[in-house]
Amino acid sequence: MSTFDTIPKTQQEALVETLLRLADDRLILGHRISEWAGHGPELEEDLALANIALDMIGHASALYTYAAELEGKADEDYYAYFRDDIDFKNIALCELPRGDFAFTIARIFLFSTFSYFLYQKLIDIVEDEQFNGMLQKHFKEIKYHLRHSREWVLRLGDGTEESHQKIQEAFDEIWMYSGEMFDLDEADQVAIQNNLFVDTSDFREEWEKLVVDTLEEATLNVPDMEQYMFSGSRQGRHTEHLGRLLAEMQFLRRSYPDADWK
């Protein structure tokens, strides 16, 4: 069992970086999905989206807590509330505005499909017991996110003329942000060398097959896989949308930095 006291410096840094990247994705996307609270197309879906948002924010909280332990921070609040947009490591797909219901479903589906294959492989290689335990617990909820969003893609795509058009437009709009999920940089390579991350190209074909098969079953056109893809968010080059999201999310906590949640 490895703890922050026994992890070699480079491995500890790689672990913290991996934890923050996973957590930032889930915090920001969870916040976006939470914006549907009270606005879902039907009561059951309103509750389902709220639960998915809570799952993702809960995943982020657990990952931040371990990162705080490793870095000696007081608690996980530092990462969520006291960093500026340039310090966040989430991909742009997670920070885009809420959009309509079809856009939300398309985003959850693409992200959950990626997370499904990523976590599946991480569970097999990560030796750190605390990190691996979180991966296994969160993976159970990721499978639900994938199943739920896939069912909606099929329902919307093969539904009415309007629902078909909406979900097609959603995939066409968001597709240019999907490639960034597979980008690897130097920090990822260090994590891979320390069995803390995986080469995403190892499962890209599996991801593409599930996505393509789902879109075709939903009678949708598959966007061009070779089109321009947005990149750079892991290095702090975000869209203008993240700053606005953080201004809303962090305002109260920054206004009262010494406040106690209890």
Side-chain angles (χ1 to χ4, degrees), residues 227-249:
Q227 69 172 274
Y228 164 79
M229 292 290 174
F230 184 95
S231 63
S233 299
R234 296 290 192 208
Q235 294 76 41
R237 297 190 293 275
H238 294 282
T239 69
E240 69 274 19
H241 307 297
L242 180 62
R244 296 168 185 165
L245 181 155
L246 293 178
E248 176 182 320
M249 187 181 77

Side-chain angles (χ1 to χ4, degrees), residues 75-125:
D75 55 37
E76 71 272 21
D77 278 7
Y78 165 78
Y79 300 109
Y81 298 114
F82 296 103
R83 288 184 297 158
D84 296 326
D85 55 356
I86 195 172
D87 300 315
F88 273 76
K89 305 171 188 297
N90 61 280
I91 55 174
L93 179 142
C94 298
E95 68 197 42
L96 299 174
R98 186 191 75 176
D100 61 15
F101 180 67
F103 184 87
T104 294
I105 290 300
R107 170 159 52 183
I108 295 174
F109 173 66
L110 293 176
F111 183 78
S112 297
T113 304
F114 176 82
S115 298
Y116 173 82
F117 290 115
L118 174 63
Y119 274 54
Q120 192 175 56
K121 293 188 178 298
L122 283 176
I123 289 169
D124 289 338
I125 66 156

Side-chain angles (χ1 to χ4, degrees), residues 2 8-9 13 50 66 71 74 89-90 97 100-101 103 110 116 122 151 153-154 189 193-194 196 200 229 237 249 253:
S2 61
K9 185 63 174 177
E13 291 175 345
Y66 191 27
E71 288 204 300
K89 305 171 188 297
N90 61 280
D100 61 15
F101 180 67
F103 184 87
L110 293 176
Y116 173 82
L122 283 176
E151 289 173 353
V153 170
L154 297 176
Q189 296 297 342
Q193 292 167 12
N194 285 280
L196 295 167
T200 53
M229 292 290 174
R237 297 190 293 275
M249 187 181 77
R253 191 70 177 88

Side-chain angles (χ1 to χ4, degrees), residues 141-207:
E141 294 165 342
I142 288 170
K143 288 190 287 186
Y144 162 71
H145 303 166
L146 174 55
R147 182 175 70 253
H148 183 81
S149 58
R150 184 178 185 276
E151 289 173 353
W152 267 108
V153 170
L154 297 176
R155 186 187 301 184
L156 294 173
D158 199 22
T160 66
E161 181 178 347
E162 182 180 6
S163 71
H164 177 93
Q165 179 183 348
K166 291 287 188 181
I167 193 68
Q168 182 69 68
E169 290 174 349
F171 278 110
D172 291 342
E173 179 181 353
I174 203 171
W175 198 260
M176 65 175 284
Y177 297 97
S178 64
E180 191 177 26
M181 293 187 289
F182 295 91
D183 286 351
L184 295 173
D185 59 14
E186 186 177 347
D188 291 315
Q189 296 297 342
V190 174
I192 291 170
Q193 292 167 12
N194 285 280
N195 290 328
L196 295 167
F197 203 65
V198 297
D199 186 341
T200 53
S201 64
D202 290 345
F203 61 86
R204 183 157 193 165
E205 286 187 8
E206 295 176 272
W207 178 87

